[in-house]
Amino acid sequence: MKKIGLISDTHGELSRRVVRFLENVDEIWHAGDIGNEQLADKLSALKPLRAVYGNIDGHVLRRMFPETLRFFCEDVDVLIAHIGGYPGRYDSRIRKQIYTNPPQLFIAGHSHILKVINDKKINCLHMNPGAAGNKGFHKVCTAIRFTVDGKNIQDLEVLEFERTKF
């Protein structure tokens, strides 16, 4: 069993509230727009970090992290990309991979909007943790925690707070 902390769109900033939310997880997954390598190093110092780069991430982060990441967590096939779209409207960069070899869990960021959607057409759970950082159009910062136990994704928790309260 693994407890996962899922964040995205930090844009170089991470509040103490998000750090506290991530304290009791086994791994941190970041769905892109990390912002700078100092934040990536800070996250890596907290817990093991799996991450992809996002559209605002520069060349250093693009060397540190891939554009997409596919792996197994316990018995769950996971795919992470920063720009991924949503069920029925997947981004063209990821659409073929999702439909020809669907993961059980697809994670994307970019939209700054937290959504968890079951794509029944391909039997895939889609998660977008929204934005954990303080930059962007969003009014609230969000993050997700959940547990992967064998083939089960369970115990979903959401952190949500006004973004100006860092």
Side-chain angles (χ1 to χ4, degrees):
M1 181 182 329
K2 286 203 178 196
K3 191 163 194 171
I4 307 301
L6 177 59
I7 58 176
S8 185
D9 296 279
T10 48
H11 293 262
E13 298 178 1
L14 197 62
S15 77
R16 289 183 298 281
R17 293 173 91 171
V18 175
V19 171
R20 282 193 304 272
F21 188 71
L22 298 173
E23 283 176 352
N24 296 320
V25 301
D26 298 310
E27 294 183 6
I28 298 170
W29 298 353
H30 197 300
D33 279 0
I34 299 163
N36 57 53
E37 53 274 14
Q38 293 81 13
L39 181 58
D41 292 342
K42 179 180 179 178
L43 290 168
S44 293
L46 289 173
K47 300 290 176 175
L49 174 65
R50 296 182 194 250
V52 296
Y53 70 78
N55 57 296
I56 66 110
D57 293 323
H59 68 280
V60 173
L61 288 168
R62 288 171 188 243
R63 283 196 307 266
M64 292 173 69
F65 302 106
E67 183 176 19
T68 62
L69 183 61
R70 190 152 192 175
F71 59 95
F72 276 85
C73 178
E74 298 270 320
D75 297 323
V76 174
D77 182 8
V78 180
L79 175 61
I80 304 176
H82 180 60
I83 300 174
Y86 292 101
R89 296 187 319 253
Y90 292 114
D91 188 80
S92 61
R93 288 170 276 197
I94 205 82
R95 187 179 307 127
K96 183 177 179 184
Q97 184 177 4
I98 286 179
Y99 286 126
T100 58
N101 186 17
Q104 291 156 291
L105 175 59
F106 175 56
I107 295 168
H110 188 62
S111 72
H112 292 224
I113 300 168
L114 186 146
K115 287 188 181 186
V116 178
I117 305 167
N118 188 16
D119 186 343
K120 293 177 184 175
K121 184 176 180 181
I122 59 171
N123 195 27
C124 174
L125 182 61
H126 177 278
M127 290 185 184
N128 185 322
N134 204 31
K135 293 180 183 164
F137 64 88
H138 59 283
K139 294 184 187 246
V140 295
C141 293
T142 55
I144 297 174
R145 270 191 315 223
F146 59 95
T147 302
V148 177
D149 187 3
K151 291 186 174 285
N152 298 315
I153 302 164
Q154 57 197 31
D155 304 325
L156 183 83
E157 301 171 85
V158 172
L159 172 69
E160 180 180 77
F161 60 94
E162 291 181 41
R163 78 176 197 168
T164 56
K165 294 185 180 179
F166 267 60

